[in-house]
Amino acid sequence: MHRVGFILKNPRYTGADGYPVIIDAGIFQTAQEIIQKRKKTVRRSDRPALRYREKLRCAECGSPLKRRHSGQKRNDTLYLQCEGCGIRTEIKDSDFLAEVERQTAAYTPSEQSAVVYEPSADAVRLTNTINRGLERPDQPEEIVKLILQGVSARYDCFSQEANLIDIHGERAIQYITISADNAVTVTFKG
């Protein structure tokens, strides 16, 4: 099977550069289209929920949550295990992302900054677009981009003093805890 894959990826075998024709040019082109189509599908490592993996913590003991790799799993679910206490949990990517967005949308800097938050038209538009996207999560990577843009737009609604606490994109999130019963809590910086 490895040799077949090698032939399907190398244009020489269509007769290029004086090589003998092993595969028809039309079949080779069709194979290339299929390969490109597969590359465009969301890989596990490209899943938007996995962008937060370094920030995931156990709600019970505070230790990092790491991905579990065993058995047959769904590509749309986080399978996690605590490095400290060993608690295991699994949560659908869409549920996780929706909760992170909900808490991010509700976040305002501490009262100490004495800044009033007034959402801009752009922040409201992005929030509405995110909510519609979460109802139909057929493009999760776009939803994550929108969530980060929404955080940025909300960040821009604060005065310059409030902006100093570095609330921009996912950098605003210090860590995210997930409990065994899938309760997600976002802790923000500042």
Side-chain angles (χ1 to χ4, degrees), residues 50-107:
L50 294 179
R51 293 182 184 161
Y52 296 98
R53 70 179 166 255
E54 298 299 320
K55 297 178 186 276
L56 299 178
R57 302 282 179 266
C58 174
E60 309 302 321
C61 71
S63 296
L65 290 172
K66 296 296 180 186
R67 291 177 60 206
R68 293 184 318 206
H69 300 282
S70 64
Q72 201 170 22
K73 297 179 187 170
R74 298 172 49 125
N75 287 342
D76 65 347
T77 303
L78 289 171
Y79 297 89
L80 305 166
Q81 183 169 357
C82 176
E83 284 187 342
C85 64
I87 289 178
R88 291 179 172 208
T89 188
E90 48 190 75
I91 185 170
K92 287 186 138 290
D93 289 10
S94 58
D95 295 343
F96 171 75
L97 292 171
E99 187 57 23
V100 169
E101 164 54 22
R102 187 191 69 72
Q103 291 183 40
T104 300
Y107 174 71

Side-chain angles (χ1 to χ4, degrees), residues 43-174:
R43 295 182 212 140
R44 287 181 185 219
S45 61
D46 294 338
R47 288 180 18 222
L50 294 179
R51 293 182 184 161
Y52 296 98
R53 70 179 166 255
E54 298 299 320
K55 297 178 186 276
L56 299 178
R57 302 282 179 266
C58 174
E60 309 302 321
C61 71
S63 296
L65 290 172
K66 296 296 180 186
R67 291 177 60 206
R68 293 184 318 206
H69 300 282
S70 64
Q72 201 170 22
K73 297 179 187 170
R74 298 172 49 125
N75 287 342
D76 65 347
T77 303
L78 289 171
Y79 297 89
L80 305 166
Q81 183 169 357
C82 176
E83 284 187 342
C85 64
I87 289 178
R88 291 179 172 208
T89 188
E90 48 190 75
I91 185 170
K92 287 186 138 290
D93 289 10
S94 58
D95 295 343
F96 171 75
L97 292 171
E99 187 57 23
V100 169
E101 164 54 22
R102 187 191 69 72
Q103 291 183 40
T104 300
Y107 174 71
T108 56
S110 67
E111 297 296 323
Q112 297 169 343
S113 63
V115 176
V116 176
Y117 171 73
E118 186 65 36
S120 67
D122 191 37
V124 171
R125 181 190 59 78
L126 279 165
T127 299
N128 291 336
T129 303
I130 291 164
N131 289 336
R132 284 191 303 272
L134 288 170
E135 292 171 2
R136 307 177 291 109
D138 54 337
Q139 294 181 328
E141 62 279 347
E142 290 301 317
I143 294 170
V144 168
K145 287 180 188 175
L146 288 170
I147 290 170
L148 297 176
Q149 289 173 4
V151 171
S152 179
R154 287 188 283 281
Y155 166 72
D156 291 339
C157 295
F158 291 101
S159 67
Q160 188 62 32
E161 296 80 33
N163 288 344
L164 295 176
I165 60 173
D166 191 26
I167 314 276
H168 189 68
E170 62 188 89
R171 289 180 288 168
I173 298 172
Q174 186 172 1

